[in-house]
Amino acid sequence: MPRNKATKIATLHRMVMSDRMCPHGLKSKDLLEREGYEVEDRHLTSREEVDAFKTKHGLATTPQTFIDGVRIGGFDDLREYFGKPTKARDTLTYTPVIMLFSVAAFMALAVTWVALGTPFSGRTIELFISISMVLLGLQKLQDVERFATMFLNYDLLAQRWVRYGYVYPFVETGSGLLMMAGVLTWLSAPAAFLVAGIGAVSVFKAVYLDKRELKCACVGGDSKVPLGFISLTENLMMIGMGVWMLSNL
């Protein structure tokens, strides 16, 4: 069946093996189809075919897209070709923290609504902060070793006592859980106040006094979040929560 002359055609070479499939190849195919292209999807089904294709075209990676006989490149090159934003691997972003705090806020509203019949009360704020602490602690607990390494870049106590970097995620998570339940406040509130106070001083010194440009370990050791206002806010929230819980004892 002859093609319509107006049909846009792209040729995609991507790895599709029995035990492995390139995710960027699938993303390239999806992007081309969303841009209105008919895709000639050519599979490279063995390591030999992949190596032969790369050698023939002098390339280091697959997938590769060709439009009108011209090589566009891999998935990132394809996004750039269509004028879509691309992000470098090490680009700093606040997105992880914004998403985490947003989810914590909705969880706090939901729990308050179920427990009290209204989403808005003084308990909502308490739950928001305590849930945020648990979620932040969970991010750190995914890889405590990497967190502790990044934490050493700026935390003053961790620089004097290295093991503190390994303890911190458990204190943050545990304090958050106890505050959510409203039990053992005599333990959770001082613990949160202590670690958050040290954290706030450390961040303030590193960012505002020493003028250092660092990544924040607040969402784990592979964080791309810049150390600064958000990190300081996290600690100030924990300090405020600790003071508030202690005042209610």
Side-chain angles (χ1 to χ4, degrees), residues 9-243:
I9 302 171
T11 303
L12 173 64
H13 298 264
R14 63 188 180 99
M15 186 191 332
V16 181
M17 302 182 189
S18 59
D19 60 343
R20 185 177 180 185
M21 180 178 293
C22 177
H24 288 96
L26 284 172
K27 291 169 70 176
S28 296
K29 183 174 183 290
D30 174 70
L31 177 57
L32 286 164
E33 290 173 344
R34 286 189 285 113
E35 291 294 327
Y37 280 80
E38 180 180 320
V39 181
E40 293 182 351
D41 192 13
R42 299 184 180 179
H43 295 180
L44 304 171
T45 59
S46 68
R47 174 54 58 186
E48 291 73 19
E49 285 188 16
V50 172
D51 292 340
F53 174 80
K54 291 193 291 187
T55 300
K56 177 182 177 180
H57 295 279
L59 302 171
T61 62
T62 59
Q64 293 292 324
T65 298
F66 293 78
I67 296 177
D68 295 329
V70 178
R71 185 178 71 86
I72 305 302
F75 177 67
D76 289 338
D77 299 311
L78 196 59
R79 286 185 60 86
E80 187 174 346
Y81 177 81
F82 289 127
K84 298 185 179 297
T86 56
K87 184 172 65 174
R89 181 169 296 181
D90 292 327
T91 300
L92 297 180
T93 175
Y94 285 107
T95 300
V97 177
I98 293 173
M99 291 298 102
L100 186 146
F101 283 147
S102 298
V103 170
F106 284 118
M107 289 179 67
L109 290 169
V111 172
T112 309
W113 196 349
V114 170
L116 303 178
T118 174
F120 302 104
S121 73
R123 183 63 175 147
T124 307
I125 302 300
E126 294 177 0
L127 283 170
F128 166 64
I129 297 176
S130 57
I131 290 172
S132 297
M133 289 170 61
V134 173
L135 294 179
L136 287 165
L138 179 61
Q139 296 299 309
K140 300 173 178 68
L141 288 171
Q142 292 183 80
D143 192 334
V144 177
E145 188 70 43
R146 293 186 67 177
F147 162 76
T149 301
M150 183 177 287
F151 199 49
L152 282 169
N153 284 319
Y154 58 88
D155 190 84
L156 298 176
L157 180 55
Q159 289 172 356
R160 290 180 174 271
W161 178 40
V162 173
R163 300 309 299 175
Y164 175 63
Y166 296 86
V167 173
Y168 183 96
F170 295 94
V171 175
E172 182 177 39
T173 306
S175 297
L177 288 171
L178 292 175
M179 288 177 174
M180 285 175 63
V183 298
L184 298 179
T185 302
W186 60 268
L187 174 63
S188 62
F193 182 85
L194 178 63
V195 297
I198 296 169
V201 173
S202 299
V203 172
F204 187 84
K205 180 180 183 299
V207 176
Y208 299 103
L209 297 182
D210 299 341
K211 307 295 183 182
R212 300 173 65 196
E213 295 183 359
L214 299 169
K215 293 177 183 177
C216 178
C218 54
V219 289
D222 58 350
S223 168
K224 302 296 187 298
V225 177
L227 185 69
F229 175 74
I230 295 294
S231 313
L232 187 58
T233 300
E234 172 197 353
N235 288 296
L236 293 177
M237 284 171 51
M238 290 173 62
I239 291 173
M241 184 67 166
V243 172

